[in-house]
Coordinates of all heavy atoms in Angstrom, one line a residue:
M1113 N 9.6 -65.2 -32.7 CA 9.3 -63.9 -33.1 C 9.8 -62.9 -32.0 O 9.5 -63.1 -30.9 CB 7.8 -63.7 -33.3 CG 7.4 -62.3 -33.8 SD 5.6 -62.1 -34.1 CE 4.9 -62.2 -32.5
S1114 N 10.5 -61.9 -32.5 CA 11.1 -60.9 -31.6 C 10.3 -59.6 -31.7 O 10.2 -59.1 -32.8 CB 12.6 -60.7 -31.8 OG 13.0 -59.6 -31.1
V1115 N 9.7 -59.2 -30.6 CA 8.9 -57.9 -30.7 C 9.6 -57.0 -29.7 O 9.8 -57.4 -28.5 CB 7.4 -58.2 -30.3 CG1 6.7 -56.9 -30.3 CG2 6.8 -59.1 -31.3
R1116 N 9.9 -55.8 -30.1 CA 10.5 -54.8 -29.2 C 9.5 -54.4 -28.1 O 8.4 -54.2 -28.3 CB 10.8 -53.5 -30.0 CG 11.6 -52.5 -29.3 CD 12.3 -51.6 -30.2 NE 11.6 -50.4 -30.5 CZ 11.5 -49.3 -29.7 NH1 12.1 -49.3 -28.6 NH2 10.8 -48.2 -30.0
Q1117 N 10.1 -54.4 -26.9 CA 9.3 -54.0 -25.7 C 9.3 -52.5 -25.6 O 10.3 -51.8 -25.8 CB 9.8 -54.6 -24.4 CG 9.9 -56.1 -24.5 CD 8.5 -56.8 -24.6 OE1 7.7 -56.6 -23.8 NE2 8.3 -57.5 -25.7
M1118 N 8.1 -51.9 -25.2 CA 8.0 -50.5 -25.1 C 7.3 -50.2 -23.8 O 6.4 -50.9 -23.4 CB 7.2 -49.8 -26.2 CG 7.9 -49.8 -27.6 SD 6.7 -49.1 -28.7 CE 7.8 -47.9 -29.5
K1119 N 7.6 -49.0 -23.2 CA 6.7 -48.5 -22.1 C 5.5 -47.9 -22.8 O 5.5 -47.6 -23.9 CB 7.5 -47.4 -21.4 CG 8.7 -47.8 -20.7 CD 9.4 -46.6 -20.0 CE 8.5 -45.9 -19.0 NZ 9.1 -44.8 -18.3
L1120 N 4.4 -47.8 -22.0 CA 3.1 -47.3 -22.5 C 3.3 -45.9 -23.1 O 2.8 -45.6 -24.1 CB 2.0 -47.4 -21.5 CG 0.6 -47.0 -21.9 CD1 0.2 -48.0 -23.0 CD2 -0.3 -47.0 -20.8
S1121 N 4.1 -45.1 -22.4 CA 4.3 -43.7 -22.9 C 5.1 -43.7 -24.2 O 4.8 -42.9 -25.1 CB 5.1 -42.9 -21.8 OG 6.4 -43.5 -21.5
E1122 N 5.9 -44.7 -24.4 CA 6.6 -44.8 -25.7 C 5.6 -45.2 -26.8 O 5.7 -44.8 -28.0 CB 7.8 -45.8 -25.7 CG 8.9 -45.3 -24.7 CD 9.9 -46.4 -24.5 OE1 9.6 -47.6 -24.4 OE2 11.1 -46.1 -24.3
M1123 N 4.7 -46.1 -26.4 CA 3.7 -46.6 -27.4 C 2.8 -45.4 -27.8 O 2.4 -45.2 -28.9 CB 2.8 -47.7 -26.8 CG 3.7 -48.9 -26.5 SD 2.9 -50.1 -25.3 CE 1.4 -50.6 -26.2
Q1124 N 2.5 -44.5 -26.8 CA 1.6 -43.4 -27.0 C 2.3 -42.4 -28.0 O 1.7 -41.9 -28.9 CB 1.2 -42.7 -25.7 CG 0.3 -41.5 -25.9 CD -0.4 -41.0 -24.6 OE1 -0.3 -41.7 -23.6 NE2 -1.0 -39.9 -24.7
Q1125 N 3.6 -42.2 -27.8 CA 4.4 -41.4 -28.6 C 4.4 -41.9 -30.1 O 4.3 -41.2 -31.0 CB 5.8 -41.2 -28.1 CG 6.7 -40.3 -28.9 CD 6.2 -38.9 -29.0 OE1 5.7 -38.3 -28.1 NE2 6.2 -38.4 -30.2
M1126 N 4.6 -43.2 -30.2 CA 4.7 -43.9 -31.5 C 3.3 -43.7 -32.2 O 3.3 -43.4 -33.4 CB 5.0 -45.4 -31.3 CG 5.1 -46.1 -32.6 SD 5.2 -47.9 -32.4 CE 3.6 -48.3 -31.8
I1127 N 2.2 -43.9 -31.5 CA 0.9 -43.8 -32.1 C 0.7 -42.4 -32.5 O 0.1 -42.1 -33.6 CB -0.2 -44.3 -31.1 CG1 -0.1 -45.8 -31.0 CG2 -1.6 -43.9 -31.6 CD1 -0.4 -46.6 -32.3
T1128 N 1.2 -41.4 -31.7 CA 1.0 -40.0 -32.1 C 1.8 -39.7 -33.3 O 1.4 -38.9 -34.2 CB 1.5 -39.1 -30.9 OG1 0.7 -39.4 -29.8 CG2 1.4 -37.6 -31.3
E1129 N 3.0 -40.3 -33.5 CA 3.8 -40.1 -34.7 C 3.0 -40.6 -35.9 O 3.0 -40.0 -37.0 CB 5.2 -40.8 -34.6 CG 6.1 -40.1 -33.7 CD 7.4 -40.9 -33.4 OE1 7.7 -41.9 -34.1 OE2 8.0 -40.6 -32.4
I1130 N 2.5 -41.8 -35.8 CA 1.8 -42.4 -36.9 C 0.5 -41.7 -37.3 O 0.2 -41.5 -38.4 CB 1.5 -43.9 -36.6 CG1 2.9 -44.6 -36.4 CG2 0.8 -44.6 -37.8 CD1 2.7 -46.1 -35.9
Y1131 N -0.3 -41.4 -36.2 CA -1.7 -41.0 -36.5 C -2.0 -39.6 -35.9 O -3.2 -39.1 -36.1 CB -2.7 -42.0 -35.8 CG -2.6 -43.4 -36.4 CD1 -2.2 -44.4 -35.6 CD2 -3.0 -43.6 -37.7 CE1 -2.1 -45.7 -36.1 CE2 -2.9 -44.9 -38.2 CZ -2.5 -46.0 -37.4 OH -2.4 -47.2 -37.9
G1132 N -1.1 -38.9 -35.3 CA -1.4 -37.7 -34.6 C -2.1 -36.6 -35.4 O -3.0 -36.0 -35.0
E1133 N -1.5 -36.4 -36.6 CA -2.1 -35.4 -37.5 C -3.5 -35.7 -37.9 O -4.4 -34.9 -37.9 CB -1.2 -35.1 -38.7 CG 0.1 -34.4 -38.3 CD -0.2 -33.1 -37.6 OE1 -1.1 -32.3 -38.0 OE2 0.5 -32.9 -36.5
R1134 N -3.7 -37.0 -38.3 CA -5.1 -37.4 -38.7 C -6.0 -37.3 -37.5 O -7.2 -36.9 -37.7 CB -5.0 -38.9 -39.2 CG -4.2 -39.1 -40.5 CD -3.9 -40.6 -40.7 NE -5.1 -41.4 -40.9 CZ -5.7 -41.7 -42.0 NH1 -5.1 -41.3 -43.1 NH2 -6.7 -42.4 -42.1
D1135 N -5.5 -37.7 -36.3 CA -6.4 -37.7 -35.2 C -6.8 -36.2 -34.9 O -8.0 -36.0 -34.5 CB -5.7 -38.3 -33.9 CG -5.5 -39.8 -34.0 OD1 -6.2 -40.4 -34.8 OD2 -4.7 -40.3 -33.3
K1136 N -5.9 -35.3 -35.0 CA -6.2 -33.9 -34.7 C -7.2 -33.4 -35.7 O -8.2 -32.7 -35.3 CB -4.9 -33.0 -34.9 CG -4.2 -32.8 -33.6 CD -3.0 -31.8 -33.8 CE -1.9 -32.1 -32.8 NZ -0.6 -31.6 -33.3
R1137 N -7.1 -33.7 -37.0 CA -8.1 -33.3 -38.0 C -9.5 -33.9 -37.7 O -10.5 -33.2 -37.8 CB -7.6 -33.7 -39.4 CG -6.5 -32.9 -40.0 CD -6.4 -33.0 -41.5 NE -6.0 -34.4 -41.9 CZ -4.7 -34.8 -41.9 NH1 -3.7 -33.9 -41.6 NH2 -4.4 -36.0 -42.3
R1138 N -9.5 -35.1 -37.2 CA -10.8 -35.8 -36.9 C -11.4 -35.2 -35.6 O -12.6 -35.1 -35.5 CB -10.5 -37.3 -36.7 CG -11.8 -38.1 -36.6 CD -11.5 -39.6 -36.3 NE -10.6 -40.2 -37.2 CZ -9.3 -40.5 -36.9 NH1 -8.8 -40.2 -35.7 NH2 -8.5 -41.1 -37.7
G1139 N -10.5 -34.9 -34.6 CA -11.0 -34.3 -33.4 C -11.3 -35.4 -32.3 O -11.5 -36.6 -32.6
V1140 N -11.5 -34.9 -31.1 CA -11.6 -35.9 -29.9 C -12.9 -36.7 -30.1 O -12.9 -37.9 -29.9 CB -11.6 -35.1 -28.6 CG1 -12.0 -36.0 -27.4 CG2 -10.3 -34.4 -28.3
N1141 N -14.0 -36.0 -30.4 CA -15.3 -36.7 -30.4 C -15.4 -37.8 -31.4 O -15.8 -38.9 -31.0 CB -16.5 -35.7 -30.6 CG -16.7 -34.7 -29.4 OD1 -16.1 -35.0 -28.3 ND2 -17.4 -33.7 -29.6
R1142 N -15.0 -37.5 -32.6 CA -15.0 -38.6 -33.6 C -14.0 -39.7 -33.4 O -14.2 -40.9 -33.7 CB -14.9 -38.0 -35.0 CG -16.2 -37.2 -35.4 CD -16.0 -36.5 -36.7 NE -15.6 -37.4 -37.8 CZ -14.7 -37.0 -38.8 NH1 -14.3 -35.8 -38.8 NH2 -14.4 -37.8 -39.7
T1143 N -12.9 -39.3 -32.8 CA -11.8 -40.3 -32.5 C -12.4 -41.2 -31.3 O -12.2 -42.4 -31.4 CB -10.5 -39.6 -32.1 OG1 -10.1 -38.8 -33.2 CG2 -9.4 -40.7 -31.8
F1144 N -13.1 -40.6 -30.4 CA -13.7 -41.4 -29.3 C -14.7 -42.4 -29.9 O -14.8 -43.5 -29.4 CB -14.3 -40.5 -28.3 CG -15.0 -41.3 -27.2 CD1 -14.2 -41.9 -26.2 CD2 -16.4 -41.4 -27.1 CE1 -14.8 -42.6 -25.2 CE2 -17.0 -42.1 -26.1 CZ -16.2 -42.7 -25.1
I1145 N -15.4 -42.0 -30.9 CA -16.4 -42.9 -31.5 C -15.7 -44.1 -32.1 O -16.2 -45.2 -32.0 CB -17.3 -42.1 -32.5 CG1 -18.3 -41.2 -31.8 CG2 -18.0 -43.1 -33.4 CD1 -19.0 -40.2 -32.7
H1146 N -14.6 -43.8 -32.7 CA -13.8 -45.0 -33.3 C -13.3 -45.9 -32.2 O -13.3 -47.1 -32.3 CB -12.5 -44.4 -34.0 CG -12.9 -44.0 -35.4 ND1 -13.0 -44.9 -36.5 CD2 -13.1 -42.8 -35.9 CE1 -13.3 -44.2 -37.6 NE2 -13.3 -42.9 -37.3
L1147 N -12.9 -45.4 -31.0 CA -12.6 -46.2 -29.9 C -13.7 -47.1 -29.5 O -13.5 -48.3 -29.2 CB -12.1 -45.3 -28.7 CG -11.9 -46.0 -27.3 CD1 -10.9 -47.1 -27.4 CD2 -11.6 -45.0 -26.3
V1148 N -14.9 -46.5 -29.4 CA -16.1 -47.3 -28.9 C -16.4 -48.4 -30.0 O -16.7 -49.5 -29.6 CB -17.3 -46.3 -28.7 CG1 -18.6 -47.1 -28.4 CG2 -17.0 -45.4 -27.6
E1149 N -16.3 -48.0 -31.3 CA -16.5 -49.0 -32.3 C -15.5 -50.2 -32.2 O -15.8 -51.3 -32.4 CB -16.4 -48.4 -33.7 CG -17.6 -47.5 -34.1 CD -17.4 -46.7 -35.4 OE1 -16.2 -46.8 -35.9 OE2 -18.3 -46.1 -35.8
E1150 N -14.3 -49.8 -31.8 CA -13.2 -50.8 -31.7 C -13.5 -51.7 -30.5 O -13.3 -53.0 -30.6 CB -11.9 -50.1 -31.5 CG -10.7 -51.0 -31.9 CD -10.7 -51.5 -33.3 OE1 -10.9 -50.7 -34.2 OE2 -10.6 -52.7 -33.5
V1151 N -14.1 -51.2 -29.5 CA -14.5 -52.0 -28.3 C -15.6 -53.0 -28.8 O -15.6 -54.2 -28.3 CB -14.9 -51.2 -27.1 CG1 -15.5 -52.0 -26.0 CG2 -13.7 -50.3 -26.6
G1152 N -16.5 -52.6 -29.6 CA -17.5 -53.4 -30.2 C -16.8 -54.6 -31.0 O -17.3 -55.7 -30.9
E1153 N -15.8 -54.3 -31.8 CA -15.1 -55.3 -32.5 C -14.4 -56.3 -31.6 O -14.4 -57.5 -31.8 CB -14.1 -54.7 -33.5 CG -14.8 -53.9 -34.6 CD -13.8 -53.3 -35.6 OE1 -12.6 -53.7 -35.6 OE2 -14.2 -52.3 -36.2
L1154 N -13.9 -55.7 -30.5 CA -13.3 -56.6 -29.5 C -14.3 -57.6 -28.8 O -14.0 -58.7 -28.7 CB -12.6 -55.7 -28.4 CG -12.0 -56.5 -27.2 CD1 -10.9 -57.5 -27.6 CD2 -11.4 -55.5 -26.2
A1155 N -15.5 -57.0 -28.6 CA -16.6 -57.9 -28.1 C -16.9 -59.0 -29.0 O -17.1 -60.2 -28.6 CB -17.8 -57.0 -27.8
R1156 N -17.0 -58.7 -30.3 CA -17.2 -59.8 -31.3 C -16.1 -60.8 -31.3 O -16.4 -62.0 -31.4 CB -17.4 -59.2 -32.7 CG -18.8 -58.6 -32.9 CD -19.1 -58.3 -34.4 NE -18.3 -57.2 -34.8 CZ -18.6 -55.9 -34.6 NH1 -19.6 -55.6 -33.9 NH2 -17.8 -54.9 -35.1
A1157 N -14.9 -60.3 -31.2 CA -13.7 -61.2 -31.2 C -13.8 -62.1 -30.0 O -13.5 -63.3 -30.1 CB -12.4 -60.4 -31.3
L1158 N -14.2 -61.6 -28.8 CA -14.2 -62.4 -27.6 C -15.3 -63.5 -27.8 O -15.1 -64.7 -27.4 CB -14.6 -61.6 -26.4 CG -13.5 -60.6 -26.0 CD1 -14.0 -59.7 -24.9 CD2 -12.3 -61.3 -25.5
R1159 N -16.4 -63.1 -28.4 CA -17.5 -64.1 -28.7 C -17.0 -65.2 -29.7 O -17.3 -66.4 -29.5 CB -18.8 -63.4 -29.2 CG -19.7 -62.9 -28.1 CD -21.1 -62.8 -28.7 NE -21.2 -62.0 -29.9 CZ -21.3 -60.6 -29.9 NH1 -21.4 -60.0 -28.8 NH2 -21.4 -60.0 -31.0
G1160 N -16.2 -64.7 -30.7 CA -15.8 -65.6 -31.7 C -14.7 -66.6 -31.2 O -14.6 -67.7 -31.7
G1161 N -14.0 -66.2 -30.2 CA -13.0 -67.2 -29.5 C -11.7 -67.4 -30.3 O -10.9 -68.2 -29.9
D1162 N -11.5 -66.6 -31.3 CA -10.2 -66.8 -32.1 C -9.1 -65.9 -31.4 O -9.2 -64.7 -31.4 CB -10.4 -66.3 -33.6 CG -9.2 -66.5 -34.4 OD1 -8.2 -65.8 -34.2 OD2 -9.2 -67.4 -35.3
S1163 N -8.1 -66.6 -30.9 CA -7.1 -65.9 -30.1 C -6.3 -64.8 -30.9 O -6.1 -63.7 -30.4 CB -6.1 -66.9 -29.6 OG -5.1 -66.3 -28.8
S1164 N -6.0 -65.1 -32.2 CA -5.3 -64.0 -33.0 C -6.2 -62.8 -33.3 O -5.7 -61.7 -33.3 CB -4.7 -64.6 -34.2 OG -5.7 -65.0 -35.1
E1165 N -7.4 -63.1 -33.5 CA -8.4 -62.0 -33.7 C -8.5 -61.2 -32.4 O -8.6 -59.9 -32.4 CB -9.7 -62.6 -34.1 CG -10.8 -61.6 -34.6 CD -10.4 -60.9 -35.9 OE1 -9.5 -61.4 -36.6 OE2 -11.0 -59.8 -36.2
M1166 N -8.6 -61.9 -31.2 CA -8.7 -61.1 -30.0 C -7.5 -60.3 -29.8 O -7.6 -59.1 -29.3 CB -8.8 -62.1 -28.8 CG -10.1 -62.8 -28.7 SD -10.1 -63.9 -27.2 CE -10.6 -65.4 -27.9
S1167 N -6.3 -60.8 -30.1 CA -5.0 -60.1 -29.9 C -5.1 -58.8 -30.8 O -4.7 -57.7 -30.3 CB -3.8 -60.9 -30.4 OG -3.7 -62.0 -29.5
R1168 N -5.5 -59.0 -32.0 CA -5.6 -57.8 -32.9 C -6.5 -56.8 -32.4 O -6.2 -55.6 -32.4 CB -6.0 -58.3 -34.3 CG -5.6 -57.3 -35.4 CD -6.1 -57.8 -36.8 NE -7.5 -57.3 -36.9 CZ -8.2 -57.6 -38.0 NH1 -7.7 -58.2 -39.0 NH2 -9.4 -57.1 -38.1
E1169 N -7.7 -57.2 -32.0 CA -8.7 -56.2 -31.5 C -8.3 -55.5 -30.2 O -8.6 -54.3 -30.0 CB -10.1 -56.9 -31.4 CG -10.6 -57.4 -32.7 CD -10.7 -56.4 -33.8 OE1 -10.7 -55.1 -33.5 OE2 -10.7 -56.8 -35.0
L1170 N -7.6 -56.3 -29.3 CA -7.0 -55.6 -28.1 C -6.0 -54.6 -28.5 O -6.0 -53.5 -27.9 CB -6.4 -56.7 -27.2 CG -7.3 -57.6 -26.4 CD1 -6.6 -58.8 -25.8 CD2 -7.9 -56.8 -25.2
A1171 N -5.2 -54.9 -29.4 CA -4.1 -53.9 -29.9 C -4.8 -52.7 -30.5 O -4.4 -51.5 -30.2 CB -3.2 -54.6 -30.8
D1172 N -5.8 -52.9 -31.4 CA -6.5 -51.8 -32.0 C -7.2 -50.9 -30.9 O -7.2 -49.7 -31.0 CB -7.5 -52.3 -33.0 CG -6.9 -52.9 -34.3 OD1 -5.7 -52.7 -34.4 OD2 -7.6 -53.5 -35.1
T1173 N -7.8 -51.6 -30.0 CA -8.5 -50.8 -28.9 C -7.5 -49.9 -28.1 O -7.8 -48.8 -27.9 CB -9.2 -51.8 -27.9 OG1 -10.2 -52.6 -28.7 CG2 -9.9 -51.0 -26.8
L1174 N -6.3 -50.5 -27.8 CA -5.3 -49.7 -27.1 C -4.8 -48.5 -28.0 O -4.7 -47.4 -27.5 CB -4.1 -50.6 -26.7 CG -3.0 -49.9 -26.0 CD1 -3.5 -49.1 -24.7 CD2 -1.9 -50.8 -25.6
A1175 N -4.6 -48.8 -29.3 CA -4.2 -47.7 -30.2 C -5.2 -46.6 -30.2 O -4.8 -45.4 -30.1 CB -4.0 -48.3 -31.6
W1176 N -6.5 -46.9 -30.3 CA -7.5 -45.8 -30.3 C -7.5 -45.1 -28.9 O -7.7 -43.9 -28.8 CB -8.8 -46.4 -30.7 CG -9.0 -46.6 -32.1 CD1 -9.1 -47.8 -32.8 CD2 -9.1 -45.6 -33.2 NE1 -9.2 -47.6 -34.1 CE2 -9.2 -46.3 -34.4 CE3 -9.1 -44.2 -33.2 CZ2 -9.3 -45.6 -35.6 CZ3 -9.2 -43.5 -34.4 CH2 -9.4 -44.2 -35.6
L1177 N -7.4 -45.9 -27.8 CA -7.4 -45.3 -26.5 C -6.2 -44.3 -26.4 O -6.3 -43.2 -25.8 CB -7.3 -46.4 -25.4 CG -7.3 -45.9 -24.0 CD1 -8.6 -45.2 -23.6 CD2 -7.2 -47.1 -23.0
L1178 N -5.0 -44.7 -26.9 CA -3.9 -43.8 -26.9 C -4.1 -42.6 -27.7 O -3.7 -41.5 -27.3 CB -2.6 -44.6 -27.3 CG -2.1 -45.7 -26.4 CD1 -1.0 -46.6 -27.0 CD2 -1.6 -45.1 -25.1
S1179 N -4.8 -42.7 -28.9 CA -5.1 -41.6 -29.7 C -5.9 -40.6 -28.9 O -5.7 -39.4 -28.9 CB -5.8 -42.0 -31.0 OG -4.9 -42.5 -31.9
V1180 N -7.0 -41.1 -28.3 CA -7.9 -40.2 -27.5 C -7.1 -39.5 -26.4 O -7.2 -38.3 -26.2 CB -9.1 -41.0 -26.9 CG1 -9.9 -40.2 -25.9 CG2 -10.0 -41.5 -28.1
S1181 N -6.2 -40.3 -25.7 CA -5.4 -39.7 -24.6 C -4.6 -38.6 -25.1 O -4.5 -37.5 -24.5 CB -4.5 -40.8 -24.0 OG -5.3 -41.9 -23.5
S1182 N -3.9 -38.8 -26.3 CA -3.0 -37.7 -26.8 C -3.8 -36.5 -27.2 O -3.4 -35.4 -27.0 CB -2.3 -38.3 -28.1 OG -1.4 -39.3 -27.7
L1183 N -5.0 -36.7 -27.8 CA -5.8 -35.5 -28.2 C -6.2 -34.7 -27.0 O -6.4 -33.5 -27.1 CB -7.0 -36.0 -29.0 CG -6.8 -36.4 -30.4 CD1 -8.1 -37.0 -31.0 CD2 -6.3 -35.3 -31.3
L1184 N -6.4 -35.4 -25.8 CA -6.7 -34.7 -24.6 C -5.5 -34.2 -23.9 O -5.6 -33.5 -22.8 CB -7.5 -35.7 -23.7 CG -8.8 -36.2 -24.2 CD1 -9.4 -37.3 -23.3 CD2 -9.8 -35.0 -24.3
G1185 N -4.3 -34.4 -24.4 CA -3.1 -34.0 -23.8 C -2.7 -34.7 -22.5 O -2.1 -34.2 -21.6
I1186 N -3.2 -36.0 -22.4 CA -3.0 -36.8 -21.2 C -2.0 -37.9 -21.6 O -2.2 -38.7 -22.5 CB -4.3 -37.3 -20.7 CG1 -5.2 -36.2 -20.2 CG2 -4.1 -38.4 -19.6 CD1 -6.6 -36.6 -19.8
D1187 N -1.0 -38.0 -20.8 CA -0.1 -39.2 -20.9 C -0.7 -40.3 -20.1 O -0.8 -40.3 -18.9 CB 1.3 -38.8 -20.3 CG 2.3 -40.0 -20.4 OD1 2.9 -40.1 -21.5 OD2 2.4 -40.8 -19.4
L1188 N -1.1 -41.4 -20.9 CA -1.9 -42.5 -20.3 C -1.1 -43.2 -19.2 O -1.6 -43.7 -18.2 CB -2.4 -43.4 -21.4 CG -3.4 -44.4 -20.9 CD1 -4.6 -43.8 -20.1 CD2 -3.9 -45.3 -22.0
E1189 N 0.2 -43.4 -19.5 CA 1.0 -44.1 -18.5 C 1.0 -43.4 -17.1 O 0.9 -44.0 -16.1 CB 2.5 -44.3 -19.0 CG 3.3 -45.0 -18.0 CD 4.7 -45.4 -18.6 OE1 4.8 -45.9 -19.8 OE2 5.7 -45.1 -18.0
T1190 N 1.2 -42.1 -17.2 CA 1.2 -41.2 -16.0 C -0.2 -41.3 -15.3 O -0.2 -41.5 -14.1 CB 1.6 -39.8 -16.3 OG1 2.9 -39.7 -16.9 CG2 1.6 -38.9 -15.1
A1191 N -1.2 -41.2 -16.1 CA -2.6 -41.2 -15.6 C -2.8 -42.6 -14.9 O -3.4 -42.7 -13.8 CB -3.6 -41.0 -16.7
F1192 N -2.4 -43.7 -15.6 CA -2.7 -45.0 -15.1 C -1.9 -45.2 -13.8 O -2.5 -45.7 -12.8 CB -2.2 -46.0 -16.1 CG -2.5 -47.5 -15.7 CD1 -3.7 -48.1 -16.0 CD2 -1.5 -48.2 -15.1 CE1 -4.0 -49.4 -15.6 CE2 -1.8 -49.5 -14.7 CZ -3.0 -50.1 -14.9
M1193 N -0.6 -44.9 -13.8 CA 0.2 -45.1 -12.6 C -0.2 -44.3 -11.4 O 0.0 -44.7 -10.3 CB 1.7 -45.0 -12.9 CG 2.2 -46.0 -13.9 SD 1.8 -47.7 -13.5 CE 2.8 -47.9 -12.0
S1194 N -0.7 -43.1 -11.7 CA -1.2 -42.3 -10.5 C -2.5 -42.8 -10.0 O -2.8 -42.6 -8.8 CB -1.3 -40.8 -10.9 OG -2.3 -40.6 -11.9
R1195 N -3.2 -43.5 -10.8 CA -4.5 -44.1 -10.3 C -4.3 -45.5 -9.7 O -4.9 -45.9 -8.7 CB -5.5 -44.1 -11.4 CG -6.8 -44.7 -10.9 CD -8.0 -44.0 -11.5 NE -9.3 -44.6 -11.3 CZ -10.0 -44.5 -10.1 NH1 -9.6 -43.7 -9.2 NH2 -11.1 -45.1 -10.0
Y1196 N -3.4 -46.3 -10.4 CA -3.2 -47.7 -10.0 C -1.8 -47.9 -9.5 O -1.1 -48.7 -10.2 CB -3.6 -48.6 -11.1 CG -5.0 -48.6 -11.5 CD1 -5.5 -47.8 -12.5 CD2 -5.9 -49.5 -10.9 CE1 -6.8 -47.7 -12.8 CE2 -7.3 -49.4 -11.2 CZ -7.7 -48.6 -12.2 OH -9.1 -48.5 -12.5
S1197 N -1.4 -47.2 -8.5 CA 0.0 -47.4 -8.1 C 0.1 -48.6 -7.1 O 0.3 -48.5 -5.9 CB 0.5 -46.1 -7.4 OG -0.4 -45.7 -6.4
N1198 N 0.0 -49.8 -7.7 CA 0.1 -51.0 -7.0 C -1.0 -51.4 -6.1 O -0.9 -52.5 -5.4 CB 1.5 -51.1 -6.3 CG 2.1 -52.5 -6.2 OD1 1.9 -53.2 -7.2 ND2 2.7 -52.8 -5.1
T1199 N -2.0 -50.7 -6.0 CA -3.2 -51.0 -5.2 C -4.5 -50.7 -5.9 O -4.5 -49.8 -6.8 CB -3.2 -50.3 -3.8 OG1 -3.2 -48.9 -4.0 CG2 -2.0 -50.7 -3.0
C1200 N -5.6 -51.3 -5.5 CA -6.9 -50.9 -6.0 C -7.2 -49.5 -5.5 O -7.0 -49.1 -4.4 CB -8.0 -51.8 -5.5 SG -9.7 -51.3 -5.7
P1201 N -7.6 -48.5 -6.5 CA -7.9 -47.1 -6.0 C -9.0 -47.0 -5.1 O -9.1 -46.0 -4.3 CB -8.2 -46.4 -7.4 CG -8.4 -47.5 -8.4 CD -7.8 -48.7 -7.9
K1202 N -9.9 -48.0 -5.0 CA -11.1 -47.9 -4.1 C -10.8 -48.4 -2.7 O -10.9 -47.7 -1.7 CB -12.3 -48.7 -4.7 CG -12.9 -48.0 -5.9 CD -14.1 -48.7 -6.4 CE -14.5 -48.1 -7.7 NZ -15.3 -49.1 -8.6
C1203 N -10.2 -49.6 -2.6 CA -10.0 -50.2 -1.3 C -8.6 -50.1 -0.8 O -8.2 -50.4 0.3 CB -10.5 -51.7 -1.2 SG -9.4 -52.7 -2.3
K1204 N -7.7 -49.6 -1.7 CA -6.3 -49.4 -1.4 C -5.6 -50.7 -1.0 O -4.6 -50.7 -0.3 CB -6.0 -48.4 -0.3 CG -6.8 -47.1 -0.5 CD -6.3 -46.3 -1.6 CE -7.0 -45.0 -1.8 NZ -7.0 -44.4 -3.1
S1205 N -6.1 -51.9 -1.5 CA -5.5 -53.2 -1.2 C -5.0 -53.8 -2.5 O -5.4 -53.5 -3.6 CB -6.5 -54.1 -0.6 OG -6.9 -53.6 0.7
N1206 N -4.1 -54.8 -2.3 CA -3.5 -55.6 -3.4 C -3.3 -57.0 -2.8 O -2.4 -57.2 -2.0 CB -2.2 -55.0 -3.9 CG -1.6 -55.8 -5.0 OD1 -2.1 -56.8 -5.4 ND2 -0.5 -55.3 -5.5
P1207 N -4.1 -58.0 -3.2 CA -5.2 -57.9 -4.2 C -6.4 -57.1 -3.7 O -6.6 -57.0 -2.4 CB -5.6 -59.3 -4.5 CG -5.2 -60.1 -3.3 CD -4.0 -59.4 -2.8
C1208 N -7.3 -56.6 -4.6 CA -8.5 -55.9 -4.3 C -9.4 -56.7 -3.3 O -9.6 -57.9 -3.6 CB -9.2 -55.6 -5.6 SG -10.9 -54.9 -5.4
I1209 N -10.0 -56.0 -2.3 CA -10.9 -56.7 -1.4 C -12.3 -56.0 -1.5 O -13.1 -56.2 -0.6 CB -10.4 -56.7 0.0 CG1 -10.0 -55.3 0.5 CG2 -9.2 -57.6 0.2 CD1 -9.7 -55.1 2.0
C1210 N -12.5 -55.3 -2.6 CA -13.9 -54.7 -2.8 C -14.9 -55.8 -2.9 O -14.6 -56.8 -3.4 CB -13.9 -53.8 -4.0 SG -12.9 -52.3 -4.0
P1211 N -16.2 -55.5 -2.5 CA -17.2 -56.5 -2.8 C -17.4 -56.7 -4.3 O -17.1 -55.8 -5.1 CB -18.5 -55.8 -2.2 CG -18.1 -54.5 -1.6 CD -16.6 -54.2 -1.9
P1212 N -17.7 -58.0 -4.6 CA -17.9 -58.3 -6.1 C -18.9 -57.4 -6.7 O -19.9 -57.0 -6.1 CB -18.4 -59.7 -6.1 CG -18.1 -60.3 -4.7 CD -18.0 -59.1 -3.8
V1213 N -18.7 -57.0 -8.0 CA -19.6 -56.2 -8.8 C -20.3 -57.1 -9.8 O -19.7 -58.0 -10.3 CB -19.0 -55.0 -9.4 CG1 -18.6 -53.9 -8.3 CG2 -17.8 -55.3 -10.2
Ligands
ZN925 ZN1 -10.7 -52.8 -4.3

């Protein structure tokens, strides 16, 4: 199976093309609720242990996260890379040396 590789910012643009208008009509708060529901579905998939189901729920979770990001006018790749630029944002080490949580 050949799957096209994309940068996260390209994925965000693609999701905005597909769902942007619907997301705008729904608004940030209700779109965020969908993201949280999707995380719940991911939790069930993790408990269930089915790898293809986990893959699907991870992808859906990212899609909703990208929708929320777009509605907030935030490019998630830029946000991620400015926070996680090759080190842990708390201890500034790679690998992280923070105390276990
Ligand atoms: Zn750390």
Side-chain angles (χ1 to χ4, degrees):
M1113 184 175 71
S1114 171
V1115 178
R1116 187 160 93 79
Q1117 302 297 302
M1118 292 179 129
K1119 295 177 59 178
L1120 188 60
S1121 58
E1122 295 170 327
M1123 295 162 66
Q1124 185 166 349
Q1125 182 57 44
M1126 181 189 72
I1127 290 296
T1128 300
E1129 285 169 21
I1130 299 172
Y1131 299 115
E1133 286 308 312
R1134 294 166 61 96
D1135 289 343
K1136 265 186 211 155
R1137 284 195 295 274
R1138 188 186 309 104
V1140 175
N1141 291 346
R1142 286 174 55 216
T1143 303
F1144 178 74
I1145 288 168
H1146 279 280
L1147 167 61
V1148 173
E1149 287 174 352
E1150 202 59 53
V1151 172
E1153 291 178 25
L1154 175 58
R1156 277 192 294 280
L1158 291 173
R1159 273 202 308 271
D1162 181 292
S1163 181
S1164 66
E1165 190 68 16
M1166 288 184 234
S1167 294
R1168 203 184 81 178
E1169 297 305 339
L1170 282 166
D1172 288 351
T1173 299
L1174 179 58
W1176 282 109
L1177 181 62
L1178 290 171
S1179 281
V1180 170
S1181 302
S1182 295
L1183 285 172
L1184 296 172
I1186 291 170
D1187 180 86
L1188 189 55
E1189 181 172 312
T1190 302
F1192 183 87
M1193 292 311 293
S1194 65
R1195 179 140 172 86
Y1196 294 92
S1197 53
N1198 212 37
T1199 59
C1200 168
K1202 288 179 187 158
C1203 67
K1204 310 293 181 203
S1205 293
N1206 181 356
C1208 170
I1209 55 170
C1210 293
V1213 290

